Each structure stands twice: as structure tokens, then as C-alpha cells.
């Protein structure tokens, strides 16, 4: 049994979490900023963090670059926005046409959509570049999708899979390496999977129901995931790649992670997984510290994973998120006229309430996961 690694200290965990969030906020908000500048939108502020301004400066274009008290987040404020969520000021319509031309609210619909989408999209691009850089520096590892051993009483054995079988597809998605099989099994909620494989040149298809097991990670955390009961060949191949193939692998892995995130959220919404498995800010900070304690490379790769998460979550069609803005723009495109100010206000308020409610639930779960509620119960007993 592998010895458990010590948990990183609170200050180290907090520092690495702040560094990661700061970098990703600059990347995300930088996407909005660059797209806005490209289309000639006037920008009041680019803020690092929230709350009271600590220091800052004004550039030649009139944008205030400021650093605020709370370093967890940030925003770009376009001229005419009432708040950091880019809720427009309804009084802007009274401005002269020359002034409205520079305002985000009066830009063509397609330009507004690009500016809003630029934030999440640059998160995906950032992750692709990180992964591509890692692959160029260290090579791209992969293991052939060949089964070397089968657990006697496992799901794969019950379905008829044998050593030597080469897995070719799972649920219709092609499999190129054993890592694809492991990822599909681990993100499974125990639902049956259609597995295609090749045996002695003959294609076969079986249905396998992964077994949900609990394992302990290197830091003592309990993780629930699916398992098929097969082992890889162990013959890992590290391919030296140039920029083109590195980018191709970066795109493929980013897409695979995105699909896994979408599958997990769908499983939670459908009740196939517990909401307890969805980490909040405390859990994210804890994992960030753990990965950073393993070295700079682990921290950078985890930052790529979290960047994909940030991009995906921001595309969810909830008002206040970028996806919510895009949803309202889609409605505007169908109606061929802007949505009323009252409806937008209601949408933003409901979106804010939904996000805050989710954060409260996730934080509550996080506090339970790190043992806070158990300690409180022991004090009261």
C-alpha cells in the first residue's frame, strides 16, 4: 500500500489557490477585454479582485487597471455597465449617437456575442496551449487499449472480455488508448456501457456495467468512481511530438475533459450522482494545494484542467454567467429586438440567486468534507 502524502499547509494552499485564480481571471477577462477592444468598445475598468481598490492606474485609453482587496476573481467593466455582471444601464438610450457608437450595449448583436463568448473560449485555448507545451517538452504518453488481465469476478469478465482483447469503442466513441477506457469508466455513474473490442481480427460488442468503488487518493481523500475490472498492458509509449501534433493532442484532451465535465453535471442533474461529489471553493482550494505540493508541473496541468472547468461553467445558460448573456442574445436574435429592461433585471436577479444558492450548498458540503461539521458536533455533544 502506498504511503499517504502529508496535506499541504493552509498558507501554502491559500497562496497557490490565489495564484491560480489570479492567472485564470486575467486569462478569462482578458478574452472579453481583447474582443471588446477589437470591436471598439469603450472600457472603464479591468479589475483584479473584488471589493475596495488598493491601487491602480489609468491607461491612455481611459481604462482603469486596478487591484482590489479580495484577490479571488476579477472583471472587465464596459462603459455603460451598471455592475461587474455587465448589466446595462437603461438610461444609455438617451445618449447622443456618437457616444452610443462606443458602447457595448449598442454594438451589433454578433459582436456582443463574440465579446461575451471570448472569455470562456480563451479559457479553453489557454488549456490547449498548456497541454500542448507539456507534450512538446515531455512527450505525449499513451498506452495501447489492449487488455492484459481481467479481474475474475469483475464487470468485464462477466461481460465476456478476455486478456488480449483490444477495446476499439465505448458507447460509440472511438478508443485510441487505454487512458480513454479508464476515463470512461471513472466518470461512469454505474450505467451500462456498450463496449466494442477486437479479438483475433473479429469485432465484438458487449454491454458492461461498471462497478462503483471507493478508493483513497494519495492525500487520504475518498474518491468514488466506476471500474471495469481490467488491467492495461503496462507498455506505455511516450511519443516525441512537434507543435502541430502537440496542439492536436491538446485539443483532443481538452475536448475529452469537457465531455467528462458535461457527463458529470448531467449525472448530478439526473440524480445519478450525489451533489456531494461536486466540489465548491474550499474543495477546489484544497485540491489546488495538493497538486501544487506535487510540483510545478502538476500545478500547471491542474490549472489547465481548472481553466477548462471555468470555461465550461461560464457557458452554462444561467443569467450573470456568460452563457446566460448568450442565451438572452439568442432570444433577441429570434425576436429581432432587444429584451425589455425589466425582463433582463429579473433574469439577472434569478441567476444571481441560483448561483449563490449553489455556492452555499457546495460550501456547506466542502465544510463537511474537511471535517468542520464533525468537529462542531463533537463540541456540542
Amino acid at each position: 500500500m502506498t504511503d499517504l502524502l502529508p496535506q499541504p499547509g493552509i498558507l501554502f494552499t491559500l497562496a497557490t489557490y490565489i495564484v491560480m485564480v489570479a492567472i485564470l481571471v486575467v486569462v478569462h477577462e482578458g478574452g472579453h477585454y481583447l474582443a471588446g477592444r477589437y470591436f471598439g468598445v469603450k472600457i472603464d475598468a479591468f479589475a483584479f479582485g473584488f471589493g475596495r481598490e488598493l491601487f491602480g492606474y489609468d491607461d491612455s485609453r481611459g481604462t482603469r487597471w486596478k487591484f482590489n482587496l479580495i484577490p479571488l476573481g476579477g472583471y472587465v467593466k464596459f462603459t455603460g455597465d451598471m455592475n461587474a455582471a455587465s448589466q446595462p444601464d437603461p438610461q444609455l438610450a438617451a445618449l447622443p449617437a456618437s457616444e452610443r457608437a462606443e458602447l457595448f450595449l449598442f454594438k451589433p448583436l454578433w459582436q456582443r456575442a463574440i465579446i461575451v463568448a471570448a472569455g470562456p473560449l480563451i479559457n479553453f485555448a489557454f488549456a490547449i496551449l498548456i497541454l500542448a507545451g507539456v507534450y512538446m517538452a515531455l512527450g505525449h504518453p499513451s498506452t495501447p487499449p489492449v487488455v492484459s488481465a481481467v479481474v475474475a469476478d469483475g464487470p468485464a469478465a462477466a461481460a465476456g472480455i478476455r486478456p488480449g482483447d483490444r477495446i476499439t469503442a465505448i458507447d460509440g466513441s472511438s478508443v485510441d488508448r487505454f487512458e480513454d477506457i479508464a476515463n470512461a469508466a471513472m466518470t461512469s455513474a454505474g450505467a451500462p456501457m456498450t463496449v466494442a473490442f477486437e479479438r483475433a481480427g473479429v469485432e465484438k460488442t458487449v454491454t458492461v456495467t461498471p462497478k462503483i468503488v471507493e478508493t483513497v487518493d494519495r492525500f487520504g481523500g475518498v474518491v468514488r468512481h466506476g471500474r471495469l475490472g481490467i488491467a492495461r498492458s503496462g507498455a506505455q509509449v511516450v511519443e516525441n511530438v512537434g507543435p502541430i501534433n502537440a496542439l492536436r493532442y491538446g485539443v483532443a484532451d481538452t475536448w475529452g475533459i469537457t465531455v467528462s465535465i458535461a457527463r458529470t453535471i448531467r449525472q448530478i442533474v439526473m440524480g445519478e450522482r450525489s451533489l456531494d461529489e461536486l466540489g465548491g471553493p474550499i474543495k477546489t482550494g484544497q485540491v489546488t494545494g495538493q497538486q501544487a505540493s506535487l510540483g510545478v508541473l502538476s500545478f500547471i496541468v491542474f490549472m489547465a484542467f481548472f481553466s477548462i472547468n471555468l470555461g465550461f461553467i461560464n457557458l452554462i445558460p444561467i443569467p450573470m454567467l456568460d452563457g446566460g448573456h448568450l442565451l438572452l442574445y439568442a432570444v433577441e436574435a429570434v425576436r429581432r429586438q432587444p429584451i425589455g429592461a425589466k425582463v433582463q433585471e429579473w433574469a439577472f436577479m434569478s441567476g444571481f440567486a441560483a448561483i449563490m444558492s449553489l455556492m452555499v450548498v457546495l460550501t456547506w458540503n466542502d465544510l463537511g468534507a474537511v471535517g468542520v461539521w464533525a468537529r462542531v458536533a463533537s463540541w456540542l455533544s
Side-chain angles (χ1 to χ4, degrees), residues 1 63 75 85 97 123-124 150 190 212 261 299 336 343 368 370 376 381:
M1 180 178 178
T63 300
Y75 58 89
N123 279 124
F124 291 113
V150 179
I212 302 300
I261 295 170
F299 175 70
R336 297 184 179 277
V343 175
V370 298
V376 172
S381 60

Side-chain angles (χ1 to χ4, degrees), residues 20-50:
M20 183 184 72
V21 170
I23 293 173
L24 294 183
V25 164
V26 171
V27 170
H28 180 90
E29 298 299 332
H32 295 311
Y33 175 85
L34 293 174
R37 282 296 186 212
Y38 181 80
F39 291 118
V41 176
K42 191 174 181 180
I43 301 173
D44 284 343
F46 192 120
F48 302 87
F50 295 99

Side-chain angles (χ1 to χ4, degrees), residues 70-138:
I70 304 173
L72 298 177
Y75 58 89
V76 169
K77 185 177 182 297
F78 296 115
T79 301
D81 291 346
M82 292 193 300
N83 49 44
S86 294
Q87 188 174 359
D89 187 341
Q91 298 180 358
L92 295 177
L95 293 175
S98 60
E99 294 185 31
R100 294 201 305 265
E102 293 183 314
L103 301 184
F104 174 81
L105 179 62
F106 298 99
K107 290 296 181 180
L109 180 61
W110 65 274
Q111 292 185 10
R112 282 181 278 144
I114 290 176
I115 292 171
V116 169
L121 292 181
I122 204 170
N123 279 124
F124 291 113
F126 184 65
I128 290 170
L129 290 176
I130 288 178
L131 295 175
V134 171
Y135 294 147
M136 285 184 63
L138 304 177

Side-chain angles (χ1 to χ4, degrees), residues 130-291:
I130 288 178
L131 295 175
V134 171
Y135 294 147
M136 285 184 63
L138 304 177
H140 181 259
S142 64
T143 306
V146 178
V147 179
S148 65
V150 179
V151 177
D153 57 349
I161 295 177
R162 303 174 188 170
D165 290 345
R166 185 181 187 89
I167 308 296
T168 57
I170 294 179
D171 287 336
S173 298
S174 62
V175 168
D176 299 316
R177 49 186 184 153
F178 199 93
E179 289 79 1
D180 298 331
I181 305 171
N183 181 63
M186 292 186 69
T187 58
S188 166
M193 302 165 54
T194 301
V195 178
F197 61 92
E198 182 181 299
R199 179 186 297 163
V202 179
E203 290 283 346
K204 297 178 179 290
T205 301
V206 295
T207 299
V208 184
T209 302
K211 179 182 179 181
I212 302 300
V213 299
E214 291 186 350
T215 57
V216 178
D217 63 22
R218 287 177 287 185
F219 295 93
V222 178
V223 182
R224 297 182 74 254
H225 57 83
R227 179 172 289 176
L228 297 181
I230 59 176
R232 67 186 71 199
S233 64
Q236 188 179 72
V237 177
V238 178
E239 176 188 2
N240 293 322
V241 295
I244 301 301
N245 280 335
L247 283 173
R248 181 169 63 84
Y249 285 131
V251 170
D253 288 350
T254 298
W255 173 252
I257 294 170
T258 302
V259 171
S260 297
I261 295 170
R263 183 186 299 120
T264 300
I265 292 178
R266 182 195 65 79
Q267 291 167 349
I268 291 174
V269 171
M270 299 299 293
E272 299 171 2
R273 283 182 182 268
S274 170
L275 187 61
D276 295 346
E277 297 184 45
L278 196 62
I282 296 176
K283 181 64 175 179
T284 302
Q286 181 185 40
V287 175
T288 302
Q290 291 172 349
Q291 293 301 314

